[in-house]
Amino acid sequence: MEFLHSIPAPFALAAVFLLSALETAIFLGVILPGELAVIIGGALASRGRVPLVGVLAAGILGPIVGDSIGYFVGRRYGRRFFRGRRREKWSKARLWLRRRGASAVLAGRFMPYVRSIIPAAAGVARVPFRRFFPWCVAAGISWGGASALLGYFVGKNLEKLESFVSRFNLVILTAVILGVGLYVLRRRLRRRRGRRARRTSARRSAA
């Protein structure tokens, strides 16, 4: 976030576009999820650093362009790429495509790491591009728009969210303390009952 904040606004928008595009174009999402860049872009827009419309455009066009490139890369080189350690991920993506068809592009877009290989897997599976592209556009609009608006909302309400999280953490801490206390109390009661049962059985055997 400091990096995007330190560079001029046009370059920040370009970074949002490139990171969200390269996530699926060259499988960068396995290392760095693209939604992180889009959410940060939305947060910067909430501070007036970049225009929200620009972040929405970059966050939507980036995945569409990246998925399209990933599709053709998979269609051309996918069988060579999905070998060795990557074979397991490819098997999951292929199973996902068999179950859902081209709509897996939209569903997989909201699953980290899976979305980085779904477009290439669709290319390898020879899913027709005319079926792939409409789902690709729908995925880009819904995912990119939601990520940018999420970052914008968080940036606008950061102080309120911090206050809420601190209170929520206090509630969780109290619940954990009570849970541990009840657990220790139950164990002690069980031990006492076990001792009483052993004493009773020892007296009966002695009698």
Side-chain angles (χ1 to χ4, degrees):
M1 187 167 185
E2 290 178 357
F3 168 72
L4 291 178
H5 194 273
S6 63
I7 60 179
F11 291 103
L13 293 176
V16 172
F17 172 82
L18 287 174
L19 289 174
S20 59
L22 294 177
E23 179 182 27
T24 51
I26 60 171
F27 317 111
L28 183 66
V30 177
I31 304 171
L32 179 66
E35 73 221 342
L36 190 61
V38 183
I39 291 174
I40 291 174
L44 292 177
S46 70
R47 301 179 181 182
R49 184 71 180 80
V50 293
L52 178 59
V53 176
V55 176
L56 285 169
I60 291 173
L61 292 176
I64 295 174
V65 172
D67 286 5
S68 300
I69 295 174
Y71 171 87
F72 287 109
V73 168
R75 189 159 186 164
R76 182 70 177 84
Y77 304 104
R79 296 187 183 278
R80 300 177 185 177
F81 181 80
F82 290 108
R83 291 179 180 177
R85 296 179 180 179
R86 304 184 188 95
R87 185 175 297 175
E88 183 179 354
K89 293 181 179 180
W90 157 238
S91 299
K92 291 181 180 179
R94 184 171 58 182
L95 181 62
W96 189 261
L97 284 166
R98 284 182 179 176
R99 289 179 178 177
R100 295 181 174 268
S103 64
V105 178
L106 175 60
R109 167 52 63 176
F110 292 89
M111 300 178 64
Y113 306 111
V114 174
R115 65 169 168 264
S116 63
I117 60 173
I118 279 288
V124 176
R126 292 294 192 271
V127 175
F129 187 73
R130 64 179 181 275
R131 290 178 54 197
F132 169 85
F133 189 68
W135 289 106
C136 170
V137 173
I141 293 173
S142 56
W143 177 86
S147 299
L149 293 176
L150 174 62
Y152 185 83
F153 173 79
V154 170
K156 278 288 187 183
N157 300 274
L158 187 58
E159 294 181 358
K160 294 180 181 179
L161 289 173
E162 287 178 348
S163 176
F164 173 77
V165 168
S166 63
R167 294 176 184 176
F168 187 66
N169 286 340
L170 181 61
V171 172
I172 291 178
L173 179 61
T174 304
V176 168
I177 292 174
L178 289 174
V180 172
L182 289 173
Y183 175 75
V184 173
L185 182 62
R186 287 184 63 183
R187 288 196 64 179
R188 289 183 177 179
L189 289 175
R190 286 179 181 177
R191 288 177 182 176
R192 289 180 182 178
R193 290 174 184 174
R195 290 172 185 173
R196 290 176 184 175
R198 286 193 294 271
R199 291 175 184 174
T200 303
S201 61
R203 289 174 184 174
R204 288 178 180 177
S205 61

